[in-house]
Short mmCIF file of all heavy atoms in Angstrom, two decimals:
data_model
loop_
_atom_site.label_atom_id
_atom_site.label_comp_id
_atom_site.label_asym_id
_atom_site.label_seq_id
_atom_site.Cartn_x
_atom_site.Cartn_y
_atom_site.Cartn_z
N MET A 1 113.76 42.74 -125.35
CA MET A 1 112.85 42.07 -126.28
C MET A 1 112.93 42.81 -127.63
O MET A 1 113.11 43.99 -127.65
CB MET A 1 111.43 42.06 -125.71
CG MET A 1 111.30 41.22 -124.51
SD MET A 1 109.58 41.19 -123.95
CE MET A 1 109.89 41.03 -122.25
N THR A 2 112.73 42.05 -128.62
CA THR A 2 112.76 42.63 -129.98
C THR A 2 111.50 42.29 -130.73
O THR A 2 110.69 41.48 -130.33
CB THR A 2 113.96 42.01 -130.79
OG1 THR A 2 113.74 40.64 -130.90
CG2 THR A 2 115.28 42.34 -130.03
N GLY A 3 111.29 43.01 -131.88
CA GLY A 3 110.17 42.74 -132.70
C GLY A 3 109.01 43.69 -132.39
O GLY A 3 109.04 44.50 -131.44
N PRO A 4 107.98 43.62 -133.24
CA PRO A 4 106.82 44.52 -133.01
C PRO A 4 106.03 44.15 -131.79
O PRO A 4 106.14 42.99 -131.27
CB PRO A 4 106.01 44.27 -134.32
CG PRO A 4 106.35 42.91 -134.74
CD PRO A 4 107.77 42.71 -134.35
N ALA A 5 105.23 45.04 -131.34
CA ALA A 5 104.36 44.79 -130.19
C ALA A 5 102.90 44.81 -130.64
O ALA A 5 102.54 45.49 -131.62
CB ALA A 5 104.54 45.91 -129.12
N PRO A 6 102.00 44.07 -129.95
CA PRO A 6 100.61 44.12 -130.33
C PRO A 6 99.96 45.45 -130.02
O PRO A 6 100.43 46.14 -129.13
CB PRO A 6 99.99 43.01 -129.50
CG PRO A 6 100.90 42.79 -128.36
CD PRO A 6 102.26 43.18 -128.88
N ALA A 7 98.94 45.80 -130.78
CA ALA A 7 98.17 47.04 -130.54
C ALA A 7 97.52 46.96 -129.16
O ALA A 7 97.10 45.86 -128.75
CB ALA A 7 97.16 47.22 -131.61
N PRO A 8 97.33 48.06 -128.45
CA PRO A 8 96.58 48.07 -127.23
C PRO A 8 95.17 47.54 -127.53
O PRO A 8 94.59 47.82 -128.60
CB PRO A 8 96.54 49.53 -126.84
CG PRO A 8 97.74 50.14 -127.52
CD PRO A 8 97.85 49.40 -128.79
N ARG A 9 94.60 46.75 -126.56
CA ARG A 9 93.35 46.12 -126.83
C ARG A 9 92.62 45.79 -125.54
O ARG A 9 93.22 45.81 -124.44
CB ARG A 9 93.52 44.81 -127.67
CG ARG A 9 94.40 43.78 -126.93
CD ARG A 9 94.80 42.63 -127.80
NE ARG A 9 95.76 43.09 -128.82
CZ ARG A 9 95.83 42.53 -130.01
NH1 ARG A 9 95.15 41.44 -130.32
NH2 ARG A 9 96.71 43.01 -130.91
N PHE A 10 91.36 45.42 -125.69
CA PHE A 10 90.60 44.90 -124.57
C PHE A 10 89.74 43.78 -125.02
O PHE A 10 89.49 43.64 -126.26
CB PHE A 10 89.82 46.01 -123.82
CG PHE A 10 88.58 46.45 -124.58
CD1 PHE A 10 87.35 45.92 -124.25
CD2 PHE A 10 88.67 47.34 -125.58
CE1 PHE A 10 86.21 46.30 -124.93
CE2 PHE A 10 87.57 47.74 -126.29
CZ PHE A 10 86.34 47.20 -125.95
N GLY A 11 89.28 42.91 -124.10
CA GLY A 11 88.39 41.83 -124.51
C GLY A 11 89.10 40.71 -125.20
O GLY A 11 88.43 39.82 -125.79
N GLN A 12 90.40 40.65 -125.08
CA GLN A 12 91.13 39.61 -125.77
C GLN A 12 91.05 38.26 -124.98
O GLN A 12 90.67 38.26 -123.81
CB GLN A 12 92.60 40.00 -125.91
CG GLN A 12 93.39 40.00 -124.62
CD GLN A 12 93.22 41.28 -123.84
OE1 GLN A 12 92.50 42.17 -124.18
NE2 GLN A 12 93.86 41.37 -122.67
N PHE A 13 91.48 37.23 -125.60
CA PHE A 13 91.61 35.89 -124.97
C PHE A 13 93.13 35.72 -124.74
O PHE A 13 93.92 35.93 -125.68
CB PHE A 13 91.07 34.77 -125.82
CG PHE A 13 91.39 33.43 -125.26
CD1 PHE A 13 90.63 32.90 -124.22
CD2 PHE A 13 92.38 32.66 -125.78
CE1 PHE A 13 90.88 31.65 -123.69
CE2 PHE A 13 92.63 31.38 -125.30
CZ PHE A 13 91.88 30.91 -124.25
N SER A 14 93.57 35.36 -123.54
CA SER A 14 94.94 35.10 -123.32
C SER A 14 95.17 33.93 -122.39
O SER A 14 94.31 33.57 -121.60
CB SER A 14 95.61 36.35 -122.74
OG SER A 14 95.05 36.68 -121.47
N PHE A 15 96.33 33.30 -122.54
CA PHE A 15 96.72 32.25 -121.63
C PHE A 15 98.27 32.16 -121.65
O PHE A 15 98.90 32.67 -122.52
CB PHE A 15 96.12 30.87 -122.06
CG PHE A 15 96.63 30.30 -123.34
CD1 PHE A 15 97.70 29.40 -123.31
CD2 PHE A 15 96.04 30.66 -124.53
CE1 PHE A 15 98.16 28.85 -124.53
CE2 PHE A 15 96.54 30.13 -125.73
CZ PHE A 15 97.58 29.21 -125.69
N SER A 16 98.80 31.56 -120.60
CA SER A 16 100.22 31.36 -120.50
C SER A 16 100.54 29.91 -120.21
O SER A 16 99.68 29.12 -119.76
CB SER A 16 100.76 32.24 -119.39
OG SER A 16 100.22 31.92 -118.15
N ARG A 17 101.78 29.53 -120.52
CA ARG A 17 102.20 28.18 -120.21
C ARG A 17 103.70 28.18 -119.97
O ARG A 17 104.41 29.13 -120.39
CB ARG A 17 101.83 27.23 -121.35
CG ARG A 17 102.66 27.44 -122.62
CD ARG A 17 102.27 26.48 -123.71
NE ARG A 17 103.27 26.50 -124.78
CZ ARG A 17 103.66 25.48 -125.41
NH1 ARG A 17 103.18 24.24 -125.15
NH2 ARG A 17 104.59 25.55 -126.37
N ARG A 18 104.15 27.17 -119.34
CA ARG A 18 105.62 27.00 -119.11
C ARG A 18 106.06 25.78 -119.91
O ARG A 18 105.45 24.72 -119.87
CB ARG A 18 105.89 26.76 -117.62
CG ARG A 18 107.38 26.62 -117.36
CD ARG A 18 107.66 26.36 -115.94
NE ARG A 18 109.09 26.10 -115.79
CZ ARG A 18 109.72 26.07 -114.65
NH1 ARG A 18 109.04 26.25 -113.55
NH2 ARG A 18 111.02 25.80 -114.60
N THR A 19 107.11 26.03 -120.63
CA THR A 19 107.74 24.91 -121.39
C THR A 19 109.05 24.54 -120.62
O THR A 19 109.37 25.12 -119.63
CB THR A 19 108.05 25.28 -122.85
OG1 THR A 19 109.10 26.29 -122.85
CG2 THR A 19 106.84 25.83 -123.57
N ALA A 20 109.78 23.64 -121.18
CA ALA A 20 111.04 23.24 -120.61
C ALA A 20 112.08 24.33 -120.55
O ALA A 20 112.96 24.35 -119.71
CB ALA A 20 111.61 21.96 -121.28
N THR A 21 111.96 25.30 -121.51
CA THR A 21 112.98 26.36 -121.63
C THR A 21 112.47 27.76 -121.43
O THR A 21 113.28 28.69 -121.39
CB THR A 21 113.63 26.25 -123.01
OG1 THR A 21 112.63 26.42 -124.01
CG2 THR A 21 114.35 24.92 -123.24
N ALA A 22 111.15 27.98 -121.32
CA ALA A 22 110.60 29.32 -121.27
C ALA A 22 109.21 29.38 -120.73
O ALA A 22 108.52 28.39 -120.66
CB ALA A 22 110.68 29.94 -122.67
N TYR A 23 108.82 30.60 -120.37
CA TYR A 23 107.36 30.91 -120.16
C TYR A 23 106.89 31.54 -121.47
O TYR A 23 107.59 32.31 -122.11
CB TYR A 23 107.24 31.96 -119.02
CG TYR A 23 107.56 31.40 -117.68
CD1 TYR A 23 108.74 31.71 -117.02
CD2 TYR A 23 106.70 30.53 -117.02
CE1 TYR A 23 109.05 31.23 -115.77
CE2 TYR A 23 106.97 30.06 -115.73
CZ TYR A 23 108.15 30.41 -115.14
OH TYR A 23 108.45 29.89 -113.91
N GLU A 24 105.66 31.23 -121.82
CA GLU A 24 105.06 31.76 -123.04
C GLU A 24 103.70 32.42 -122.69
O GLU A 24 102.88 31.74 -121.99
CB GLU A 24 104.90 30.71 -124.09
CG GLU A 24 106.19 30.16 -124.57
CD GLU A 24 106.03 29.05 -125.61
OE1 GLU A 24 104.93 28.43 -125.68
OE2 GLU A 24 107.01 28.79 -126.34
N LEU A 25 103.44 33.58 -123.18
CA LEU A 25 102.20 34.27 -123.02
C LEU A 25 101.57 34.40 -124.40
O LEU A 25 102.21 34.94 -125.34
CB LEU A 25 102.33 35.64 -122.41
CG LEU A 25 101.06 36.53 -122.39
CD1 LEU A 25 100.00 35.95 -121.48
CD2 LEU A 25 101.42 37.94 -121.95
N TYR A 26 100.35 33.98 -124.59
CA TYR A 26 99.64 34.05 -125.86
C TYR A 26 98.44 35.03 -125.72
O TYR A 26 97.76 35.00 -124.72
CB TYR A 26 99.06 32.71 -126.27
CG TYR A 26 100.15 31.69 -126.66
CD1 TYR A 26 100.78 30.93 -125.69
CD2 TYR A 26 100.54 31.53 -127.97
CE1 TYR A 26 101.75 30.02 -126.02
CE2 TYR A 26 101.50 30.61 -128.30
CZ TYR A 26 102.12 29.88 -127.35
OH TYR A 26 103.09 28.99 -127.69
N ILE A 27 98.26 35.90 -126.74
CA ILE A 27 97.18 36.84 -126.77
C ILE A 27 96.46 36.72 -128.10
O ILE A 27 97.11 36.70 -129.15
CB ILE A 27 97.66 38.32 -126.60
CG1 ILE A 27 98.36 38.49 -125.27
CG2 ILE A 27 96.47 39.28 -126.70
CD1 ILE A 27 99.06 39.81 -125.13
N PHE A 28 95.10 36.56 -128.09
CA PHE A 28 94.38 36.41 -129.33
C PHE A 28 93.21 37.36 -129.37
O PHE A 28 92.45 37.52 -128.38
CB PHE A 28 93.83 34.99 -129.45
CG PHE A 28 92.93 34.85 -130.67
CD1 PHE A 28 93.50 34.77 -131.95
CD2 PHE A 28 91.59 34.82 -130.60
CE1 PHE A 28 92.70 34.69 -133.06
CE2 PHE A 28 90.76 34.73 -131.68
CZ PHE A 28 91.36 34.68 -132.94
N GLY A 29 93.04 38.08 -130.47
CA GLY A 29 91.86 38.91 -130.77
C GLY A 29 91.71 40.07 -129.81
O GLY A 29 92.61 40.61 -129.30
N GLY A 30 90.45 40.41 -129.68
CA GLY A 30 90.05 41.62 -128.87
C GLY A 30 89.57 42.76 -129.75
O GLY A 30 89.24 42.51 -130.92
N ALA A 31 89.55 43.89 -129.20
CA ALA A 31 89.11 45.09 -129.93
C ALA A 31 90.01 46.25 -129.55
O ALA A 31 90.58 46.28 -128.43
CB ALA A 31 87.61 45.43 -129.54
N THR A 32 90.14 47.21 -130.44
CA THR A 32 91.09 48.35 -130.22
C THR A 32 90.53 49.45 -129.31
O THR A 32 91.28 50.16 -128.75
CB THR A 32 91.51 48.95 -131.56
OG1 THR A 32 90.31 49.41 -132.24
CG2 THR A 32 92.25 47.95 -132.40
N ALA A 33 89.24 49.58 -129.28
CA ALA A 33 88.64 50.69 -128.47
C ALA A 33 87.27 50.32 -128.05
O ALA A 33 86.57 49.47 -128.66
CB ALA A 33 88.58 51.98 -129.33
N GLU A 34 86.79 50.94 -126.97
CA GLU A 34 85.49 50.61 -126.40
C GLU A 34 84.35 51.25 -127.35
O GLU A 34 83.35 50.61 -127.49
CB GLU A 34 85.35 51.17 -125.01
CG GLU A 34 84.11 50.72 -124.32
CD GLU A 34 84.03 51.16 -122.86
OE1 GLU A 34 85.10 51.58 -122.34
OE2 GLU A 34 83.00 50.99 -122.26
N PHE A 35 84.63 52.37 -127.91
CA PHE A 35 83.64 53.03 -128.76
C PHE A 35 84.18 52.97 -130.20
O PHE A 35 85.36 53.28 -130.47
CB PHE A 35 83.45 54.49 -128.35
CG PHE A 35 83.00 54.63 -126.91
CD1 PHE A 35 83.82 54.99 -125.91
CD2 PHE A 35 81.66 54.30 -126.62
CE1 PHE A 35 83.38 55.11 -124.60
CE2 PHE A 35 81.19 54.39 -125.30
CZ PHE A 35 82.07 54.78 -124.33
N ALA A 36 83.35 52.55 -131.13
CA ALA A 36 83.70 52.32 -132.55
C ALA A 36 84.91 51.40 -132.60
O ALA A 36 85.98 51.76 -133.20
CB ALA A 36 83.97 53.65 -133.25
N PRO A 37 84.86 50.22 -132.01
CA PRO A 37 86.05 49.35 -131.98
C PRO A 37 86.33 48.72 -133.34
O PRO A 37 85.48 48.57 -134.19
CB PRO A 37 85.60 48.26 -130.99
CG PRO A 37 84.12 48.19 -131.13
CD PRO A 37 83.72 49.63 -131.40
N VAL A 38 87.57 48.43 -133.50
CA VAL A 38 88.04 47.59 -134.61
C VAL A 38 88.31 46.22 -134.01
O VAL A 38 89.12 46.09 -133.09
CB VAL A 38 89.34 48.14 -135.25
CG1 VAL A 38 89.90 47.21 -136.28
CG2 VAL A 38 89.04 49.53 -135.85
N LEU A 39 87.61 45.19 -134.49
CA LEU A 39 87.84 43.87 -134.00
C LEU A 39 89.11 43.27 -134.58
O LEU A 39 89.37 43.42 -135.73
CB LEU A 39 86.61 42.97 -134.31
CG LEU A 39 85.30 43.42 -133.74
CD1 LEU A 39 84.17 42.50 -134.14
CD2 LEU A 39 85.37 43.55 -132.22
N LEU A 40 89.91 42.64 -133.70
CA LEU A 40 91.15 42.10 -134.09
C LEU A 40 91.07 40.57 -134.21
O LEU A 40 90.40 39.91 -133.47
CB LEU A 40 92.22 42.47 -133.08
CG LEU A 40 92.45 44.00 -132.84
CD1 LEU A 40 93.24 44.23 -131.60
CD2 LEU A 40 93.00 44.61 -134.04
N ASN A 41 91.78 40.08 -135.19
CA ASN A 41 91.79 38.61 -135.38
C ASN A 41 93.30 38.23 -135.55
O ASN A 41 93.69 37.70 -136.63
CB ASN A 41 91.00 38.22 -136.65
CG ASN A 41 90.89 36.73 -136.85
OD1 ASN A 41 91.02 35.98 -135.88
ND2 ASN A 41 90.70 36.28 -138.02
N ASP A 42 94.06 38.48 -134.54
CA ASP A 42 95.49 38.20 -134.59
C ASP A 42 95.93 37.45 -133.33
O ASP A 42 95.22 37.42 -132.34
CB ASP A 42 96.26 39.50 -134.79
CG ASP A 42 96.01 40.53 -133.70
OD1 ASP A 42 95.14 40.31 -132.85
OD2 ASP A 42 96.75 41.55 -133.65
N MET A 43 97.07 36.83 -133.42
CA MET A 43 97.60 36.09 -132.30
C MET A 43 99.06 36.54 -132.08
O MET A 43 99.86 36.66 -133.04
CB MET A 43 97.54 34.62 -132.50
CG MET A 43 98.08 33.80 -131.32
SD MET A 43 97.77 32.02 -131.50
CE MET A 43 96.68 31.81 -130.12
N TRP A 44 99.43 36.74 -130.80
CA TRP A 44 100.82 37.14 -130.45
C TRP A 44 101.27 36.18 -129.39
O TRP A 44 100.56 35.68 -128.56
CB TRP A 44 100.75 38.55 -129.89
CG TRP A 44 100.39 39.59 -130.85
CD1 TRP A 44 99.14 39.92 -131.24
CD2 TRP A 44 101.26 40.39 -131.61
NE1 TRP A 44 99.22 40.93 -132.23
CE2 TRP A 44 100.51 41.20 -132.48
CE3 TRP A 44 102.67 40.50 -131.67
CZ2 TRP A 44 101.07 42.15 -133.32
CZ3 TRP A 44 103.24 41.44 -132.54
CH2 TRP A 44 102.43 42.23 -133.37
N ARG A 45 102.62 35.94 -129.41
CA ARG A 45 103.26 35.17 -128.39
C ARG A 45 104.45 35.91 -127.86
O ARG A 45 105.29 36.40 -128.59
CB ARG A 45 103.71 33.82 -128.97
CG ARG A 45 104.43 32.94 -127.93
CD ARG A 45 104.96 31.69 -128.47
NE ARG A 45 106.14 32.02 -129.25
CZ ARG A 45 106.63 31.24 -130.22
NH1 ARG A 45 106.02 30.14 -130.57
NH2 ARG A 45 107.65 31.60 -130.92
N LEU A 46 104.52 35.99 -126.52
CA LEU A 46 105.72 36.54 -125.84
C LEU A 46 106.43 35.35 -125.19
O LEU A 46 105.80 34.58 -124.41
CB LEU A 46 105.28 37.54 -124.81
CG LEU A 46 106.39 38.05 -123.90
CD1 LEU A 46 107.44 38.83 -124.68
CD2 LEU A 46 105.82 38.93 -122.78
N THR A 47 107.69 35.21 -125.47
CA THR A 47 108.48 34.12 -124.94
C THR A 47 109.52 34.72 -123.98
O THR A 47 110.31 35.58 -124.38
CB THR A 47 109.19 33.32 -126.08
OG1 THR A 47 108.18 32.81 -126.93
CG2 THR A 47 109.98 32.17 -125.45
N ILE A 48 109.57 34.26 -122.74
CA ILE A 48 110.50 34.69 -121.74
C ILE A 48 111.37 33.51 -121.32
O ILE A 48 110.86 32.57 -120.66
CB ILE A 48 109.78 35.30 -120.50
CG1 ILE A 48 108.84 36.41 -120.96
CG2 ILE A 48 110.79 35.78 -119.46
CD1 ILE A 48 107.88 36.87 -119.88
N PRO A 49 112.62 33.43 -121.76
CA PRO A 49 113.43 32.28 -121.48
C PRO A 49 113.66 32.11 -119.96
O PRO A 49 113.71 33.12 -119.21
CB PRO A 49 114.81 32.63 -122.13
CG PRO A 49 114.46 33.69 -123.12
CD PRO A 49 113.30 34.42 -122.59
N LEU A 50 113.74 30.89 -119.55
CA LEU A 50 114.04 30.63 -118.14
C LEU A 50 115.51 30.94 -117.85
O LEU A 50 116.34 30.73 -118.65
CB LEU A 50 113.72 29.14 -117.80
CG LEU A 50 112.29 28.72 -117.88
CD1 LEU A 50 112.16 27.22 -117.67
CD2 LEU A 50 111.46 29.47 -116.94
N ALA A 51 115.77 31.43 -116.66
CA ALA A 51 117.11 31.86 -116.30
C ALA A 51 118.05 30.62 -116.05
O ALA A 51 119.21 30.72 -116.31
CB ALA A 51 117.08 32.72 -115.02
N GLY A 52 117.46 29.53 -115.61
CA GLY A 52 118.30 28.37 -115.38
C GLY A 52 117.42 27.25 -114.79
O GLY A 52 116.20 27.37 -114.73
N ASP A 53 118.01 26.24 -114.30
CA ASP A 53 117.25 25.15 -113.70
C ASP A 53 116.68 25.59 -112.36
O ASP A 53 117.22 26.32 -111.60
CB ASP A 53 118.19 23.96 -113.43
CG ASP A 53 118.70 23.36 -114.75
OD1 ASP A 53 117.99 23.50 -115.79
OD2 ASP A 53 119.79 22.76 -114.75
N ASP A 54 115.52 25.01 -112.07
CA ASP A 54 114.80 25.33 -110.75
C ASP A 54 115.46 24.58 -109.63
O ASP A 54 115.82 23.48 -109.72
CB ASP A 54 113.33 24.99 -110.87
CG ASP A 54 112.60 25.90 -111.84
OD1 ASP A 54 112.95 25.86 -113.04
OD2 ASP A 54 111.78 26.66 -111.33
#
């Protein structure tokens, strides 16, 4: 995998889906720490290509 990675977080919203060519994981928001947290307002997508036909 290439590109930057999201900051470690908790309390985020996430979901995954399968498309015709890949699995996709989406992560939105959250906070950076339990004490004195920084609230995040970002969205990340991880795409994992399918190996072939099922």
Side-chain angles (χ1 to χ4, degrees):
M1 292 184 214
T2 62
R9 62 191 67 210
F10 74 98
Q12 72 278 0
F13 173 78
S14 62
F15 68 94
S16 62
R17 71 181 193 141
R18 181 180 174 170
T19 68
T21 59
Y23 291 104
E24 296 178 339
L25 171 66
Y26 292 85
I27 300 171
F28 175 75
T32 59
E34 188 173 351
F35 301 103
V38 173
L39 299 179
L40 301 168
N41 186 24
D42 57 353
M43 180 172 246
W44 293 83
R45 181 184 70 204
L46 172 64
T47 302
I48 303 169
L50 295 175
D53 296 332
D54 291 65

